Amino acid sequence: MVDAAANSPPVAKLMPLHGWLLLVWFAASFGLVFFAHDLMQVVAGWPLSYWFAAQGSVIIFIGIVAVFAWFANRQAGQELPISAAFQAYNQRIHRRFATFVVLLIVFILVLALAEQGGLRKIWVGAIFLFATVFLYALIGIYGRTSSASEYYVAGRRIPAMYNGMAVAADWMSAASFISMAGGLYLQGFSGSGTHPGGLVYVLGWTGGFCLVALFVAPYLRQLNLYTLPEYFDHRFGGRWPRIIAAWSAVLCSFIYVVAQIYGVGLITSRLTGVQFEIGILLGLGGVLVCSFLGGMRAVTWTQVTQYVVVILAFLIPVSWLAYKQLGNPVAAVAYGQQLPKISELELHLMKAPQEQQVIKEYLRRAHDYEYKLAQLPASLEQEKKAHREAIQNLMAARAEESVIVAARRQLAALPRDEVAARERWTQARQENLARAQPLAGMPPHTQPFAGDPQGTSEEQDMFEVSRRNFLALMFCLMIGTAGLPHLLTRFYTTRTVAEARNSVTWSLFFIALLYLSAPALAVLVKYEVMSQLVGMRFDALPVWIAQWAKLDPALISVSDINGDHILQFAELQLGPDIVMLATPELGGLPYVVSGLVAAGGLAAALSTADGLLLTIGNALAHDLFYWKNTDRAGTVRRVMLSKFALLLVALIAAYVAAQRPADILFLVSASFSLAGSAFVPVMILGIFWTGVTRIAAVAGMLTGVMLTLYYMVINMPVVRRLLSLEGSGLWFEIDPVSAGVFGVGAGLLMTIVLSWLTRGSAVPAR
């Protein structure tokens, strides 16, 4: 085994560099966000704070990671010699990768020509689905192994650049590919009120890699471990640190993987036309073949191929849309021209009489629900009676059977009792009130934070709450990035510590290719909707709207609220999971691009699901059941148990995803809060401070994860109703998805205080 520590300079030599780079990171993220409202000056057509949040800070983050890797590797001195065998291995990989990229581009072009020649759309989608999944399955079969080193860490011989691609694919989940552009479309810069959104995901999910590079990845790699929970055993000893870390890894990874499998079902069902639940099972087959047979070895090379599919699937439609609107295919550079146009369209829509009519109708409906709620249970009985009378009148008039059946369905869909009626009508009232706002409740795209710091006291409070929630969620996403087990395990697969540092740089570079384009996509789609789709007659709307609405009404829905037969902006509801997937159809691109986008979304979901399921299986088998068994027979049993645990967890996650528990962004963000709270405070203190004790580590992890979980659960509407809790359970008006801000702080404080109180039993760092 390679001595990874040989390329690791003493921590003390790097501390000044850590400090300066951390200061730059803090200024480029939290500093710029805090003063975003004061940095609205327009430079070259861009609001300054918007440009930094969407692009400038990401570029700074890449610079921080690259500078650290270069300086630390120079401090480490002489690199380990590269053997002739490893050089030949690298050259062989380069040839295979180049061949794959060329063949993929040829495959896309052939399908495009076939579509022009008359190939049906359903066949284009099916070919994309089965060809890509078949490719991933072949890699899984080719990479099958029962060797512990190959199964857990791919033999520790993945070159930095390819590991960077694999990390990027592992990282850019369904949330990044499918939902992030949608969140930017709906929430603009920073969302509204207590709902942070928009650019917080760009900042949080890229800025977190600075923490990974500076404080985590190289220090874990030099220990030559297999899993993240194994670090807690190695550092603190005893059974409990490893058990708590293993169950925490299972918890946050399971929530994360449910979101990915939901995305798999969404895309597969759209590509093939099968039911959502069947789509989940079809996509899941591709996940299991890769991770079940070959572990990290197969997953790594599958993720490299998936990254290429993902990045092509994202950049082609956004570049096409940018060229269509602006004549420049470099979307990340050109889309700033559309920002002032969108601001003008927003002002026009706010004042348009037709939009005001729609808003008034939403208000009327909200008041109707308010009246029904006040009159319960009598109002429910009146509703049922009215529907029964309508059915009797239709039957008496000998109406068509389809009309009578539809009326009976409406009767059956009514709430069964007073409790169900109160829950449903309360939700309907809130939804109508939310829609009865300018721009259907969407904030102006470039506005940082809701409210106004110079406005009324209510507007000032709203501004503070909005900014506080943005900062809290950004903190959770960054800290969570430094604690996600499936991400950190990827840095165990490099040959040396130096390559682990380089790998983080490559990872952030490859991720930034998509993350710099996602804000551009949101702006281009919003301009397309406001300038082209809004104002169309309902009978002339594109067919794709009805097709997506049939799949899931939560993705997209239109209704003629004011009865003028013309689509108004407030009459169109888009979910965050539809914006990217429908971009090719919205922009009038050939269907082959829609198939490519769906294949890219599927690759993003599958690549992350692979890593997550592998992490869960390894945590259960390697860290909970066979953690003391090191003989060869025990190692083989441990690998086999990991595979079967992975299979079982995949089936459970598929069942949960089929229930559609929440949108993808919420589930993913929640897992970040949990990962950050459970691992990061204790892990980083353990790396840099020899005074952390075992008792403090256990207490710190438990405090962090339990407090985060409590805050999320206690603020769920169903839980508050069951416990008859009145009012808001929020602390400082922080949204539950950002619960990690409390968990991380509490875990850090608990670890430091208990370490000081039990300092006589400190475990020396090994």
Side-chain angles (χ1 to χ4, degrees), residues 187-199:
Q187 299 298 328
F189 186 123
S190 59
S192 57
T194 59
H195 189 96
L199 296 178

Side-chain angles (χ1 to χ4, degrees), residues 39 337 418:
L39 297 172
Q337 300 175 42
E418 181 182 351

Side-chain angles (χ1 to χ4, degrees), residues 177-221:
F177 188 93
I178 299 175
S179 300
M180 186 167 66
L184 287 159
Y185 172 91
L186 293 171
Q187 299 298 328
F189 186 123
S190 59
S192 57
T194 59
H195 189 96
L199 296 178
V200 68
Y201 298 104
V202 176
L203 288 165
W205 283 337
T206 54
F209 273 85
C210 296
L211 302 181
V212 173
L214 268 62
F215 300 109
V216 183
Y219 304 103
L220 291 183
R221 173 60 189 91

Side-chain angles (χ1 to χ4, degrees), residues 1 4 152-153 156 219-235 242 489 491-493 622:
M1 182 181 292
Y152 290 121
V153 291
R156 304 194 200 276
Y219 304 103
L220 291 183
R221 173 60 189 91
Q222 70 186 26
L223 299 176
N224 286 326
L225 305 176
Y226 284 161
T227 66
L228 181 61
E230 197 171 9
Y231 161 77
F232 292 89
D233 177 26
H234 176 90
R235 171 63 180 85
R242 187 166 184 164
T489 303
F491 299 108
Y492 290 158
T493 63
H622 181 76

Side-chain angles (χ1 to χ4, degrees), residues 573-593:
Q573 288 183 278
L574 292 179
D577 300 339
I578 187 63
V579 170
M580 177 60 208
L581 296 176
T583 292
E585 295 159 310
L586 181 68
L589 277 65
Y591 188 78
V592 68
V593 181

